[in-house]
């Protein structure tokens, strides 16, 4: 929220934007007075009739002070002072320009109190009261230095008395904290402490607090409160109270009250957002702007110790889940420090502006010395865990016996709860959600099915839940069914992602691959899906390819063909080459890949233009094709255009593994050249391209005059 961001900057004593707090340097005399009068009228008309739920006394007091300033401005406008030389007094001009800034800050503060979240306002009661007091102090200082005596001849006695009275009142003003507001804040913290101690507040006390005292009377209002509090966690500053973890607890309590007090009303009539038709509404996001984990446009790119860039929330979640490797490269993380990638962030902002794309959340600027705080702020407290457990128990009741609409929403809420935090994923599964979600996978309601399979995906991230899902009767088959014939594209894509997550456990890979139509559906999604669907499909196929018993199934189900075709797609080529490099290690896989017409050219293209990891996978696959694919396939590889130059480049610039594989392939290439030369001289020698490492050999009478003019390093 823009207002929240501006108010936050006001608290930090920084100007939120150049436009908001730019002093009117080119204004003086009458134009400046008219501008001040206009701003004052705007503030008074906007807020004089507003019923402030909180900070009533402070807000009314500030508005009355602005009303008195308006009287002063109007009097000066009508007097000859504005055209006299005294109006250009440096002291008077400086005070009036300071009043300009003060009025704008007052407007922002009043707007914040009038339209902000009720729960956030009571949590910020001491701070917001302090902001009002700061403004009073500044008014007092301004009036003390304002040269009012110079205006005695231009103001009526009544106006002078009001200004003098305002000066005295401002000087005597003290910090005021409304007792009722503070009592509500204390009550909210008592609920938090209750959950912290395992004592769930009774329904009557929660209803009195939320409905009667705060006026939150329906689920929609409650949902808006939750959204606002969650935004504060995302945009949280380290020096703000309460901390992100405490806010997380308040979010959990409010979510619990939402279902306890209001059930499934109003918005429970789920309406699916209109999907853009093919070719409509899609914008191609530059690859470098996409987070490798979430596959979404990065809003806060950060760099980890391996040099890779990820979106802050995605990599924080990855590390929170206990991973100690880089998601993209697999390298061990030296430490958990993350550094904002400000250059990339600026490029994303520029691209969003040029493409008409809205950055959904504001960038969080953090100091590199405190980057670990981003992980800590979102960690759940015991109160949050206990409140979420209470919420899950309600949701599962609706999953088990509620109406179709109620089940749909319950699945959605479980999906959201399971999105972050291993504690949430653990107790959701322990509470018995998986059997009910499995049943919804067969729903004829597309939204219910999508929420259910996505909830399964989120739950499967927690290691123990993988076993629970696989052990649930018919659950794997239901997930595959959604992949094959899901009612929405998102459901099919998330089913593929779920299979990828489940296949991280080696013992499940064969069972998943053997599931009816599983490989076929993944191959189809890889060939015909959206960019995100293709990514989900190729990662799942890659995982399945790591099990040696799945090779024949990958061939029969069209997995090999789809992986070869994916080599032409920049977004998934790296993973496709990796899967092919695994499958080609078996003779059956090498034979099948060798039969694909575009396999060699696709892998060669990856060697020339792919990512470092992609080049590594491609050269490894080509080497194994030469070793295990037979003479004809080896001949196609070694006769590929410009192979010598590509290998020479890779020997100097590739990764350690890529250089090692390139060196081996270069030796094969040299032996093939030697065999061709002998054959052309009439010796008829049968060339063994693999030395002692391969049973296959091939003969050739074609001489290709190219060589790699460097010594092949031994690595």
């Amino acid at each position: 929220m823009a207002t929240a961001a501006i108010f936050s900057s006001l608290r930090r004593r920084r100007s939120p934007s150049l436009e908001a707090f730019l002093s009117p340097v080119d204004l003086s005399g009458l134009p400046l007075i008219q501008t001040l009068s206009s701003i004052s009228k705007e503030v008074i008309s906007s807020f004089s009739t507003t019923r402030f739920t909180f900070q009533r006394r402070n807000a009314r007091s500030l508005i009355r002070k602005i009303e008195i300033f308006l009287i002063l401005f109007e009097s000066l406008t009508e007097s000859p002072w504005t055209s006299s030389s005294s109006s250009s007094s440096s002291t008077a001009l400086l005070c009036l320009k300071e009043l300009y800034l003060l009025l704008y800050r007052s407007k922002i503060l009043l707007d914040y109190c009038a339209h902000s979240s009720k729960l956030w306002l009571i949590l910020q009661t001491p701070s917001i009261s302090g902001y009002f007091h700061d403004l009073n102090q500044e008014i007092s200082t301004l009036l003390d230095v304002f040269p009012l005596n110079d205006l005695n001849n231009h103001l009526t006695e009544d106006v002078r008395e009001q200004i003098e009275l305002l000066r005295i009142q401002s000087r005597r003003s003290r910090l005021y904290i409304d007792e009722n507001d503070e009592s509500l804040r204390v009550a909210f913290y008592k609920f938090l402490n209750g959950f912290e101690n395992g004592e769930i507040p009774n329904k009557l006390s929660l209803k009195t607090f939320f409905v009667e005292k705060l006026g939150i009377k329906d689920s929609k209002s409650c949902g808006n409160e939750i959204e606002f509090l969650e935004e504060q966690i995302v945009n949280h500053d380290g020096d703000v109270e309460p901390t992100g973890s405490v806010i997380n607890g308040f979010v959990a309590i409010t979510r619990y009250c939402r279902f306890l007090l209001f059930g499934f009303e109003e918005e429970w009539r789920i309406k699916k957002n209109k999907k853009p038709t093919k070719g409509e509404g899609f914008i191609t996001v530059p690859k470098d702007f996409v987070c490798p984990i979430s596959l979404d446009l990065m809003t806060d790119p950060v760099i980890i110790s391996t040099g890779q860039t990820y979106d802050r929330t995605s990599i924080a979640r990855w590390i929170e889940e206990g991973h100690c490797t880089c998601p993209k490269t697999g390298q061990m993380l030296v430490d958990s420090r993350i550094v904002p990638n400000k250059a990339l962030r600026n490029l994303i902002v520029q691209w969003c502006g040029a493409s008409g794309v809205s950055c959904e959340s504001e960038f969080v600027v953090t100091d590199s010395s405190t980057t670990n705080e981003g992980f800590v702020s979102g960690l759940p407290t015991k109160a949050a865990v206990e409140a979420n457990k209470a919420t899950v128990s309600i949701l599962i009741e609706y999953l088990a016996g509620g109406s179709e609409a109620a089940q749909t929403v319950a699945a959605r809420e479980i999906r959201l709860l399971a999105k972050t935090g291993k504690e949430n994923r653990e107790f959701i599964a322990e509470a018995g959600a998986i059997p009910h979600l499995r049943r919804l996978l067969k729903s004829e309601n597309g939204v219910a099915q999508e929420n259910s399979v996505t909830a399964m995906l989120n739950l499967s991230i927690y290691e123990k839940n993988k076993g629970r899902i696989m052990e649930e009767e018919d659950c794997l088959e239901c997930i595959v069914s959604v992949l094959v014939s899901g009612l929405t594209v998102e459901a099919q894509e998330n089913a593929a992602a779920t299979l990828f997550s489940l296949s991280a456990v080696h013992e499940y890979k064969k069972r998943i691959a053997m599931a009816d139509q599983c490989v076929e559906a993944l191959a189809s999604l890889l060939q015909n899906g959206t960019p995100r669907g293709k990514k989900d499909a190729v990662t799942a196929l890659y995982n399945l390819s790591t099990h040696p018993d799945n090779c024949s199934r990958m061939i029969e189900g069209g997995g090999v063909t789809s992986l070869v075709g994916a080599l032409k797609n920049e977004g998934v080529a790296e993973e496709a080459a990796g899967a092919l490099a695994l499958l080609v290690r078996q003779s059956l896989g090498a034979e099948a890949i060798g039969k694909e017409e575009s396999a060699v050219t696709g892998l060669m293209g990856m060697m020339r233009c792919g990512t470092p990891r992609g080049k590594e996978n491609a050269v490894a696959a080509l080497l194994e094709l030469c070793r295990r694919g037979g003479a004809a396939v080896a001949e196609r590889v070694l006769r590929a255009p410009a192979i010598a130059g590509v290998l020479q480049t890779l020997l100097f610039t590739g990764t350690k593994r890529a250089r090692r594989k390139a060196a081996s392939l270069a030796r094969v290439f040299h032996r093939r050249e030697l065999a061709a030369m002998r054959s052309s001289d009439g010796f008829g020698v049968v060339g063994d391209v693999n030395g002692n490492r391969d049973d296959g050999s091939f003969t050739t009478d074609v001489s290709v005059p190219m060589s790699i003019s460097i010594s092949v390093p031994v690595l």
Side-chain angles (χ1 to χ4, degrees):
M1 289 188 175
T3 305
I6 292 174
F7 184 63
S8 177
S9 64
L10 174 68
R11 171 186 49 74
R12 296 192 298 268
R13 301 295 190 272
R14 291 203 301 264
S15 298
S17 68
L18 188 61
E19 295 79 7
F21 292 134
L22 185 62
S23 297
V25 292
D26 56 339
L27 294 180
S28 61
L30 182 60
L32 177 57
I33 298 297
Q34 290 174 334
T35 300
L36 293 171
S37 178
S38 175
I39 297 172
S40 300
K41 288 178 181 178
E42 182 183 354
V43 173
I44 294 169
S45 63
S46 298
F47 303 108
S48 60
T49 59
T50 300
R51 185 182 181 278
F52 289 91
T53 306
F54 307 102
Q55 299 291 340
R56 293 189 191 93
R57 177 170 158 179
N58 285 327
R60 293 299 172 207
S61 175
L62 181 59
I63 293 171
R64 284 194 296 270
K65 290 179 175 65
I66 295 174
E67 288 173 343
I68 296 175
F69 278 124
L70 178 59
I71 295 174
L72 171 64
F73 300 145
E74 289 177 342
S75 298
L76 292 176
T77 302
E78 298 168 358
S79 73
W81 176 82
T82 55
S83 59
S84 66
S85 60
S86 60
S87 67
S88 59
S89 164
S90 59
T91 304
L93 186 60
L94 179 61
C95 289
L96 290 174
K97 289 184 176 182
E98 284 297 320
L99 268 174
Y100 178 91
L101 299 178
L102 189 146
L103 289 172
Y104 255 115
R105 294 171 63 198
S106 299
K107 178 184 175 182
I108 293 170
L109 180 54
L110 290 169
D111 183 69
Y112 193 79
C113 292
H115 302 111
S116 190
S117 155
K118 294 179 179 179
L119 292 174
W120 183 247
L121 286 175
I122 65 171
L123 289 174
Q124 293 293 306
T125 294
S127 297
I128 296 175
S129 298
Y131 305 147
F132 278 105
H133 181 62
D134 289 346
L135 289 174
N136 280 328
Q137 294 293 100
E138 292 182 30
I139 290 173
S140 175
T141 302
L142 274 174
L143 291 177
D144 282 339
V145 300
F146 191 78
L148 195 61
N149 293 333
D150 297 343
L151 308 178
N152 285 338
N153 296 330
H154 305 288
L155 299 177
T156 65
E157 184 177 348
D158 178 59
V159 174
R160 289 198 303 270
E161 287 179 357
Q162 291 189 63
I163 296 298
E164 185 60 34
L165 181 61
L166 178 58
R167 188 206 305 265
I168 295 172
Q169 289 177 342
S170 299
R171 188 180 297 167
R172 293 176 179 175
S173 67
R174 297 291 181 267
L175 174 66
Y176 174 77
I177 299 178
D178 188 281
E179 291 183 1
N180 182 60
D181 295 356
E182 181 64 12
S183 66
L184 290 173
R185 188 179 75 91
V186 172
F188 204 12
Y189 270 96
K190 283 183 178 179
F191 291 140
L192 185 74
N193 292 335
F195 278 101
E196 191 79 29
N197 297 324
E199 302 170 359
I200 300 177
N202 61 67
K203 183 176 181 179
L204 180 60
S205 62
L206 291 171
K207 183 177 181 180
T208 300
F209 179 79
F210 279 89
V211 179
E212 298 177 8
K213 294 185 177 180
L214 295 182
I216 302 174
K217 298 181 179 180
D218 53 57
S219 59
K220 183 177 180 181
S221 300
C222 204
N224 291 338
E225 294 288 330
I226 292 171
E227 289 179 8
F228 190 95
L229 291 177
E230 288 177 334
E231 287 182 10
Q232 306 318 304
I233 298 176
V234 173
N235 300 319
H236 191 271
D237 284 341
D239 60 341
V240 179
E241 291 293 337
T243 64
S245 297
V246 173
I247 300 174
N248 200 11
F250 286 126
V251 169
I253 293 173
T254 308
R255 184 183 291 113
Y256 169 66
C257 292
R258 181 184 189 184
F259 296 107
L260 179 69
L261 301 178
F262 308 117
F264 291 83
E265 58 180 63
E266 295 175 13
E267 64 171 300
W268 300 163
R269 298 188 295 273
I270 298 292
K271 293 183 180 179
K272 188 67 177 174
N273 293 331
K274 179 185 176 183
K275 301 292 180 184
T277 57
K278 189 173 181 180
E280 172 187 304
F282 287 104
I283 296 177
T284 302
V285 180
K287 184 178 179 181
D288 291 338
F289 295 174
V290 175
C291 175
I293 298 175
S294 67
L295 304 181
D296 288 330
L297 177 68
M298 287 187 281
T299 57
D300 187 15
V302 294
I303 303 171
I304 61 175
S305 60
T306 60
Q308 299 296 323
T309 296
Y310 301 93
D311 202 31
R312 180 183 296 275
T313 54
S314 297
I315 192 63
R317 190 179 307 123
W318 173 268
I319 294 177
E320 177 193 334
E321 289 162 1
H323 298 288
C324 55
T325 58
C326 175
K328 189 171 183 179
T329 67
Q331 295 175 263
M332 292 294 294
L333 297 178
V334 177
D335 53 52
S336 60
R337 290 175 60 252
I338 56 176
V339 179
N341 192 335
K342 296 181 180 180
L344 180 59
R345 182 188 64 190
N346 292 335
L347 290 174
I348 293 175
V349 170
Q350 294 173 15
W351 177 83
C352 287
S355 306
V357 176
S358 173
C359 292
E360 294 182 355
S361 59
E362 296 181 5
F363 294 116
V364 182
V365 181
T366 58
D367 181 65
S368 60
S369 62
T370 59
T371 50
N372 287 331
E373 292 180 8
F375 300 145
V376 178
S377 63
L379 296 179
T381 60
K382 183 180 178 182
V385 172
E386 293 301 320
N388 284 333
K389 284 182 178 180
T391 302
V392 167
S393 65
I394 297 175
L395 295 174
I396 290 180
E397 288 181 13
Y398 282 99
L399 270 181
S403 64
E404 180 183 359
Q407 290 179 359
T408 301
V409 175
R412 183 193 69 183
E413 294 301 317
I414 287 178
R415 162 188 178 174
L416 295 175
L417 278 172
K419 192 173 182 180
T420 56
K422 64 179 182 180
E423 294 86 358
N424 289 357
R425 298 182 186 115
E426 182 176 18
F427 65 67
I428 288 172
E430 289 176 347
I434 291 175
H436 301 297
L437 293 172
R438 189 264 307 160
R439 179 172 44 81
L440 277 183
L441 292 174
K442 300 178 180 180
S443 173
E444 296 181 0
N445 182 321
V447 183
Q449 185 186 74
E450 181 182 326
N451 283 327
S452 180
V453 73
T454 310
M456 285 283 195
L457 167 61
N458 293 339
L459 289 173
S460 70
I461 296 173
Y462 182 56
E463 201 67 24
K464 291 183 179 179
N465 287 346
K466 299 183 196 297
R468 293 186 174 110
I469 293 172
M470 292 296 291
E471 291 166 9
E472 177 66 26
E473 184 179 0
D474 200 35
C475 193
L476 173 61
E477 289 70 22
C478 288
I479 295 171
V480 173
S481 177
V482 174
L483 172 65
V484 173
S485 56
L487 300 175
T488 67
V489 173
E490 288 81 358
Q492 292 178 305
E493 293 174 350
N494 289 339
T498 305
L499 293 175
F500 162 68
S501 177
L502 295 173
S503 62
V505 179
H506 186 74
E507 61 190 80
Y508 298 149
K509 293 177 181 178
K510 183 175 180 179
R511 182 180 164 191
I512 293 171
M514 294 302 172
D516 187 37
Q517 293 299 306
C518 178
V519 174
E520 288 82 353
L522 288 172
S524 176
L525 185 61
L526 179 55
Q527 290 173 325
N528 308 311
T530 66
R532 182 161 190 167
K534 290 180 179 180
K535 195 75 171 180
D536 292 329
V538 76
T539 50
L541 288 171
Y542 176 88
N543 263 12
L544 296 180
S545 300
T546 60
H547 197 295
D549 293 346
N550 287 342
C551 186
S552 60
R553 186 71 186 90
M554 292 288 291
I555 297 170
E556 295 167 3
V560 169
T561 300
S562 67
L563 288 168
V564 170
L567 293 173
K568 302 175 184 178
N569 188 318
E570 183 182 356
V572 294
E574 179 181 308
E575 293 82 359
L580 292 172
L582 292 169
L583 294 169
V584 78
R585 292 176 183 175
Q586 299 185 56
S587 298
L588 187 63
E591 181 182 353
I593 295 170
K595 291 179 180 179
E596 297 290 333
E597 291 295 328
S598 61
V600 174
T601 56
L603 291 169
M604 281 296 300
M606 173 65 68
M607 282 180 62
R608 282 193 294 268
C609 306
T611 63
R613 186 73 173 270
K615 292 177 181 179
E616 177 183 306
N617 291 333
V619 70
L622 288 172
L623 177 61
E624 292 301 325
L625 270 179
C626 288
R627 290 174 173 172
R628 307 177 191 278
V633 176
E635 179 71 4
R636 281 167 51 201
V637 172
L638 299 176
R639 291 184 62 184
I643 185 173
V646 173
L647 287 175
Q648 185 174 9
T649 300
L650 203 57
L651 283 166
F652 283 110
T653 63
T655 65
K656 183 177 180 180
R657 178 170 177 260
R659 294 198 305 271
R660 188 172 67 250
K661 296 293 183 180
S664 298
L665 187 55
R667 284 192 287 269
V668 174
F669 179 82
H670 276 300
R671 283 195 291 268
R672 182 248 180 221
E673 270 199 322
L674 180 60
M677 291 173 62
R678 290 176 178 175
S679 176
S680 65
D681 289 339
F683 290 102
V685 177
V686 176
D688 180 4
V689 298
N690 303 304
N692 297 326
R693 298 186 63 178
D694 187 25
D695 295 334
S697 61
F698 67 95
T699 60
T700 176
D701 57 2
V702 179
S703 175
V704 182
M706 61 174 65
S707 63
I708 301 175
S709 58
I710 61 171
S711 60
V712 180
V714 179
L715 299 176

